[in-house]
């Protein structure tokens, strides 16, 4: 098969690695990709949100399957445009991707289908926002639309919540925050569950827990994720079943019933509250860095799983996983998630990658004019260790990091430490 993969982050590197390993893959092209992915396919310089150029390229290949990694092209309707041209694509349509693209849509959908979640109030004016904040006390403020992972404030006080609401409604994230959702704050351990949905049926993939804050001890600003562990330590098989029955299957049935069948990966962000698992958010794609910790555990051909998803035949699909644990640690550019400089040299990755169950996935990397690998983004590498226990997997990830020569990078020392 000829496969076109869209994206350039660590998640897409992990996807490229898995797709290239499939016996079904004859040709893999990645748009735009990163230097680490060049080992698995041909990179073409088309941005992930250039919908027309991607469709034209896929038609010319012709692609047997287009795999869409990031949320932006999914929410923009890339899969719809590909379907219009009879090109098979893995990922939800724009209507289905609204589960991530609009927090208000997702909350109202859960309410219609009795899916457990906190109380919520969508608003578009500051005075009403303040009334809800005062009534709720502890609350979470969310931009309705996509905000590159920055549109959520878990407020420590009413004053902080009001400030966040004010800034968002004033256009902090452009039209993505012209409406906001004010939610009751719920407490408990967080975990994520990934499922495949074929428009009707849903099967469990795997679980993970990420670490969103920039610094050790869960201090500092929120990031896209500084590391992750899989399986999620606190999601027992019983809880996994409960999440599938009370959340994931109702989503599959509900979306189909409302004429928006969901096909693709559903990433369910969960809070394990005293009253049971509740939905924090849905994402319409693999997580990043969760893909880098989940996919090394996958023992089933990923392309077959994607085809079963797009062909509505997941019911009897047998997805197998390595029972071992995986831990991934992100190495980020100094300054991330704020401003950072680009162009510092990264050396000795070869010594850390693909040995002793250690894997290095590139994200914000580039080659300079001399061919030297340099940092070009905020999150730059994700280093994964796989082992019989979480403790050894973690030691493997940190052991691999110690071999990488990039003094300008920083990473958390406490990923999967407890
Ligand atoms: N790691 C969080 C996300 O992918 O949204």
């Amino acid at each position: 098969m000829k496969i076109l993969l869209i994206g350039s982050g660590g998640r897409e590197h992990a996807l490229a690695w898995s797709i290239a390993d499939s016996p079904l893959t004859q040709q893999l092209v990645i748009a735009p990709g990163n230097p680490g992915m060049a080992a698995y396919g041909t990179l073409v310089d088309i941005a992930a949100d250039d919908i027309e150029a991607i469709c034209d390229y896929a038609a010319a290949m012709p692609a047997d399957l287009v795999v869409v990694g990031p949320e932006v092209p999914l929410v923009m309707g890339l899969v719809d445009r590909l379907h219009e041209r009879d090109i098979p694509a893995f990922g939800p349509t724009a209507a289905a991707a609204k589960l991530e693209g609009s927090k208000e849509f997702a909350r109202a959908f859960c309410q219609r289908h009795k899916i457990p979640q906190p109380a919520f109030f969508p608003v578009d004016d500051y005075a009403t926002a303040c009334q809800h904040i005062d009534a709720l006390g502890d609350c979470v403020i969310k931009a309705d639309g996509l905000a590159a992972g920055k549109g959520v404030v878990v407020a420590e006080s009413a004053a902080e919540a009001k400030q966040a609401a004010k800034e968002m409604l004033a256009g902090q994230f452009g039209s993505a925050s012209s409406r906001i959702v004010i939610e009751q704050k719920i407490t408990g351990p967080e975990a994520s569950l990934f499922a495949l949905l074929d428009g009707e049926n849903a099967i469990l993939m795997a679980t993970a827990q990420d670490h969103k804050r920039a610094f050790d001890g869960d201090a500092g600003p929120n990031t896209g994720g500084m590391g992750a562990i899989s399986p999620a330590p606190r999601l027992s098989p019983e809880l996994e079943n409960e999440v599938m029955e009370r959340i994931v299957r109702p989503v599959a049935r509900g979306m189909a019933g409302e004429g928006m069948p969901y096909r693709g990966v559903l990433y369910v962000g969960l809070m394990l509250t005293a009253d049971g698992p509740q939905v924090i958010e849905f994402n319409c794609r693999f997580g990043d860095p969760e893909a880098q910790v989940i996919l090394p555990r996958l023992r089933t051909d990923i392309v077959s799983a994607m085809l079963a998803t797009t062909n509505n035949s997941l019911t009897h699909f047998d997805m197998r996983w390595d029972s071992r644990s995986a831990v991934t640690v992100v190495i980020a550019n100094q300054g991330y998630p704020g401003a950072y400089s680009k162009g510092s040299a990264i050396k000795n990755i070869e010594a850390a990658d693909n040995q002793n169950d250690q894997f290095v996935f590139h994200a914000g990397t580039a080659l300079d004019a001399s061919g030297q690998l340099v940092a070009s983004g905020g999150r730059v590498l994700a280093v994964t260790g796989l082992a019989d226990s979480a403790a050894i997997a973690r030691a493997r990830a940190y052991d691999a990091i110690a071999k990488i020569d990039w003094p300008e990078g920083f990473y958390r020392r406490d990923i999967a430490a407890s």
Side-chain angles (χ1 to χ4, degrees):
M1 290 178 63
K2 294 181 185 176
I3 299 178
L4 175 61
L5 170 64
I6 308 302
S8 62
R11 165 184 51 212
E12 287 78 26
H13 186 163
L15 282 165
W17 179 69
S18 301
I19 292 168
D21 198 39
S22 167
L24 296 173
T25 305
Q26 288 160 334
Q27 185 192 0
L28 176 61
V29 178
I30 306 146
N34 66 42
M37 295 154 83
Y40 305 109
T42 306
L43 309 188
V44 294
D45 191 15
I46 302 174
D49 60 357
D50 191 343
I51 305 295
E52 288 314 310
I54 291 169
C55 290
D56 289 344
Y57 194 94
M61 277 176 71
D64 299 303
L65 183 67
V66 178
V67 177
V68 187
E71 62 276 18
V72 169
L74 291 166
V75 171
M76 287 172 74
L78 175 56
V79 168
D80 309 64
R81 300 288 88 74
L82 289 163
H83 286 169
E84 282 164 13
R85 293 170 76 160
D86 290 327
I87 301 166
F90 176 81
T93 59
K98 271 184 92 175
L99 281 178
E100 175 166 2
S102 167
K103 305 288 176 271
E104 180 180 2
F105 172 88
R107 287 300 185 208
F109 173 86
C110 286
Q111 191 171 49
R112 286 197 293 283
H113 296 278
K114 301 188 171 36
I115 293 170
Q117 64 174 356
F120 71 100
F121 303 93
V123 299
D124 56 13
D125 73 278
Y126 180 62
T128 313
C130 290
Q131 285 168 12
H132 288 302
I133 291 167
D134 286 334
L136 277 174
D138 286 344
C139 60
V140 178
I141 311 296
K142 294 183 176 176
D144 179 54
L146 295 182
K150 298 184 183 130
V152 177
V153 173
V154 182
E156 300 292 337
S157 65
E160 191 188 344
K162 287 178 186 176
Q163 183 62 24
K166 185 186 249 174
E167 287 172 11
M168 287 191 198
L169 289 169
Q172 185 181 16
F173 302 109
S175 60
S177 63
S178 57
R179 279 181 80 74
I180 61 174
V181 180
I182 298 166
E183 296 181 2
Q184 170 199 11
K185 194 195 273 187
I186 51 175
T187 54
E190 285 187 37
S192 303
L193 181 142
F194 296 81
L196 282 177
L197 276 63
D198 70 2
E200 199 175 331
N201 306 294
I203 61 169
L204 172 67
M205 294 187 75
T207 63
Q209 186 184 337
D210 78 347
H211 297 255
K212 290 199 174 70
R213 300 279 181 168
F215 308 128
D216 287 1
D218 284 332
N222 259 329
T223 71
M226 293 298 288
I229 179 171
S230 177
R234 292 187 175 85
L235 260 182
S236 62
E238 293 72 28
L239 277 175
E240 286 175 6
N241 280 339
E242 185 176 344
V243 174
M244 289 301 292
E245 293 312 319
R246 296 187 61 207
I247 297 173
V248 176
R249 296 206 162 91
V251 168
R253 283 194 298 271
M255 292 297 280
E258 295 192 18
M260 298 171 281
Y262 191 104
R263 292 187 185 85
V265 177
L266 182 69
Y267 163 167
V268 189
L270 296 160
M271 190 73 84
L272 307 178
T273 74
D275 297 328
Q278 297 201 25
V279 174
I280 302 175
E281 65 178 8
F282 293 119
N283 294 309
C284 60
R285 34 107 190 147
F286 284 99
D288 188 340
E290 290 90 336
Q292 298 91 303
V293 81
I294 284 174
L295 294 178
R297 298 185 49 239
L298 180 60
R299 292 292 168 264
T300 301
D301 168 26
I302 193 165
V303 176
S304 301
M306 289 173 169
L307 291 176
T309 303
T310 56
N311 295 337
N312 298 15
S313 54
L314 276 178
T315 327
H316 301 296
F317 193 83
D318 181 22
M319 201 150 209
R320 274 164 290 131
W321 296 88
D322 195 322
S323 59
R324 291 181 294 167
S325 292
V327 170
T328 197
V329 179
V330 167
I331 317 182
N333 222 329
Q334 286 293 349
Y336 173 81
Y340 51 81
S341 56
K342 298 181 181 182
S344 49
I346 306 167
K347 296 182 181 156
N348 215 31
I349 283 192
E350 316 69 53
D353 187 25
N354 230 345
Q355 31 210 321
N356 304 323
D357 287 325
Q358 294 165 316
F359 312 96
V360 181
F361 299 105
H362 291 226
T365 66
L367 296 177
D368 71 10
S370 69
Q372 169 65 50
L373 188 73
V374 296
S376 65
R379 290 188 295 172
V380 173
L381 299 168
V383 182
T384 301
L386 183 64
D388 285 333
S389 74
I392 301 174
R394 174 173 191 272
R396 283 201 173 135
Y398 283 109
D399 172 63
I401 286 178
K403 296 178 191 157
I404 297 172
D405 177 6
W406 182 38
E408 290 79 3
F410 80 97
Y411 56 91
R412 280 182 60 162
R413 316 264 164 170
D414 63 349
I415 300 299
S418 56

